[in-house]
Amino acid sequence: MAEPHLPERQSPLEPEYHPGSHGNFEHGVDVILSETRPGSILQLAAWPGEEKRLIEVIRKVTGLALPDGAGGGVNSGARAVFGFAPGKFTVVDEAEGLAQAFAGSITPAIGTLTDLSHGRTAIRIAGPKAEWVMAKFFAIDFALPAFPLGAGRSTNHHDIFAQIQRSGADQFDIYVFRSFARSFWKALCHASEEVGYEVQ
Amino acid sequence: MLITCPYCGPRDVIEFTYQGDGNRERPQPASQDLDAWNAYVYDRLNPAGDHNEIWQHSGGCRAHLRVVRNTITHEILSTAFARGGHKSADNRAEGRS
Ligand SMILES: [Zn+2]
């Protein structure tokens, strides 16, 4: 039987997404910018006192074990999870259908699931100057000891709310509202010009 | 001015929204005690010094916080989730949730 033909998802960055090297790259590119286009982006929230049960559900469904503590997270490459507020977590999967995988596991007694797959855009910045460029955008500490691998942060850039996960020693994944994503992307490209950047 | 969110850590004040005097005692919605409503709407301590305040970390985790701020120096003396227990500047609001 033929595969079902699903409509291809459009990127909000499309008109401003220009693969190749840009800016001051004569001496090499120091950051790589890309849109990761995960199939699933979910927000899970536990009612007061139900956080541990929700963390257990996340572990069962995704195989990812959340570390203790505010903003703790883990990133396996294909899947990622991090805390972004008390009792609230962002869960990401390369594949579509993660919301259905959680259905039935997050009971009304535990909390809520909101599917934001079409509402957020995921942008990745990687490279030796990733911390440098990020520090120009957000007033938080991007040094590895203060912002460990897998950890998540909620903050904003000129009123554009952003969730950030450190997905590598010199790599960050930024989740922004889809409607603001193109504007944010353009600003990020401008900010990366001085170090030389490549769009992949 | 930095406010240390109990969840997010120290953040610039620009990420926060002031939500008013933290000493107010909101009457029950059905209350017809006009003096209590009058006090809730109008009475303020307006201290020159430590002050109980409610802030929201609107540009971060969006939690509502109890903050004790010195109105002269802007020093933040304590922060806590509004939902839990808290330290108050003058003990008037201690124990409320
Ligand atoms: Zn916060």
Side-chain angles (χ1 to χ4, degrees), chain A residues 42-47 50-66 79-81 87 89-91 98-113:
Chain A
L42 311 183
Q43 178 173 306
L44 310 185
W47 302 120
E50 298 295 329
E51 190 171 344
K52 285 212 155 55
R53 276 170 76 191
L54 181 61
I55 288 171
E56 181 56 21
V57 169
I58 292 170
R59 193 191 61 74
K60 274 188 184 151
V61 172
T62 66
L64 300 176
L66 270 161
R79 286 176 166 171
V81 58
F89 305 91
T90 294
V91 190
L98 189 61
Q100 289 87 321
F102 272 103
S105 301
I106 300 179
T107 62
I110 295 176
T112 61
L113 178 157

Side-chain angles (χ1 to χ4, degrees), chain B residues 5-9 16 57 60-63 65:
Chain B
C5 170
Y7 188 86
C8 304
F16 297 83
H57 192 189
C61 68
R62 303 194 61 80
L65 309 177

Side-chain angles (χ1 to χ4, degrees), chain A residues 70-71 83-85 140 154-156 161, chain B residues 7 11 15 59-61 63 81 83:
Chain A
F84 68 90
I140 62 174
S154 301
T155 182
N156 67 68
F161 183 67
Chain B
Y7 188 86
R11 296 293 181 90
E15 291 193 0
C61 68
F81 292 122
R83 178 176 278 158

